[in-house]
Amino acid sequence: MIIRKEQQSDHEAIKSVVTDAFGQPDEAHLVDMLRTDGDIEIALVAELDRQVVGHIVLSRMISPETALGLAPISVLPTFQRQGVGSALMREGIKRAQDNSWERIFLLGEPAYYNRFGFAAETAAGFSSPYAGPYFMALELAENFPDESGGVAEYASAFSRLGADET
Ligand SMILES: CC(C)(COP(=O)(O)OP(=O)(O)OC[C@H]1O[C@@H](n2cnc3c(N)ncnc32)[C@H](O)[C@@H]1OP(=O)(O)O)[C@@H](O)C(=O)NCCC(=O)NCCS
């Protein structure tokens, strides 16, 4: 499996992967809006035998400015539970860290994201309409975040779509 940066030539395949993973078009629409707005900082595909089977997006947040929002992450249903999502998560986190981002926020299932170090406690100091057990954050340790509270606000595409779930 190869994890690499998405290319323009991947856009159609990505649309299919995201739509099939979620079983609806909303998240693929979110990816399009984030791209059009120029808010995507990291977008990776997982490729197996030259087929795009997974995709992850990390976008810059309105607040804190030093944080990324991770959403959506998608793996084609027939390729799920084979480690594709984990490989995308690990590489996405690594690239965020390499690029000196201080934190990553996401909204999702704790049972899945805890294994990568995301915790609701880490997000608890930030106010958000999504605050609660599913709203989690990861501090990228080497970057020593200088803010530990305030408002956590995703890129504007999320509120325009009205769907911030990963
Ligand atoms: C969530 C998703 C990206 C995970 O990708 P994946 O390639 O299947 O994940 P991996 O193979 O790396 O990991 C599989 C593990 O995650 C667990 N897992 C997968 N999705 C989960 C979920 N929504 N909640 C809890 N655990 C989940 C599996 O049980 C499995 O656990 P195990 O290793 O203990 O058996 C993928 O299932 C997907 O695209 N789902 C549909 C879209 C979606 O719901 N995205 C995010 C929602 S939070």
Side-chain angles (χ1 to χ4, degrees):
M1 179 170 47
I2 298 168
I3 306 291
R4 60 167 176 79
K5 201 173 164 182
E6 73 166 35
Q7 309 290 326
Q8 186 152 8
S9 55
D10 298 318
H11 288 183
E12 280 308 307
I14 289 166
K15 194 171 201 164
S16 297
V17 168
V18 179
T19 305
D20 287 359
F22 284 91
Q24 58 177 38
D26 300 31
E27 287 76 10
H29 187 209
L30 173 62
V31 173
D32 286 343
M33 288 198 291
L34 287 167
R35 221 185 251 136
T36 304
D37 292 349
D39 284 331
I40 293 183
E41 291 292 334
I42 298 167
L44 306 172
V45 295
E47 202 179 60
L48 265 173
D49 296 331
R50 300 192 175 190
Q51 182 190 358
V52 174
V53 299
H55 183 246
I56 190 171
V57 173
L58 293 98
S59 57
R60 56 170 58 245
M61 304 213 11
I62 293 170
S63 163
E65 290 179 2
T66 52
L68 295 175
L70 191 159
I73 174 169
S74 319
V75 175
L76 274 180
T78 49
F79 291 91
Q80 289 177 9
R81 302 198 168 206
Q82 297 169 36
V84 176
S86 297
L88 284 165
M89 286 293 298
R90 282 194 297 268
E91 185 62 21
I93 292 166
K94 180 182 178 299
R95 291 188 186 213
Q97 193 157 29
D98 289 349
N99 291 329
S100 302
W101 292 94
E102 293 183 352
R103 260 191 208 85
I104 303 173
F105 287 90
L106 60 76
L107 190 62
E109 190 55 59
Y112 185 62
Y113 294 106
N114 286 347
R115 69 188 72 186
F116 305 106
F118 285 85
E121 298 75 46
T122 313
F126 292 86
S127 64
S128 160
Y130 311 107
Y134 298 98
F135 187 59
M136 292 168 277
L138 172 69
E139 284 182 2
L140 300 173
E142 289 167 26
N143 301 327
F144 297 107
D146 54 7
E147 293 174 79
S148 57
V151 177
E153 188 177 359
Y154 282 92
S156 69
F158 286 89
S159 52
R160 296 202 320 269
L161 189 74
D164 302 38
E165 301 214 5
T166 53

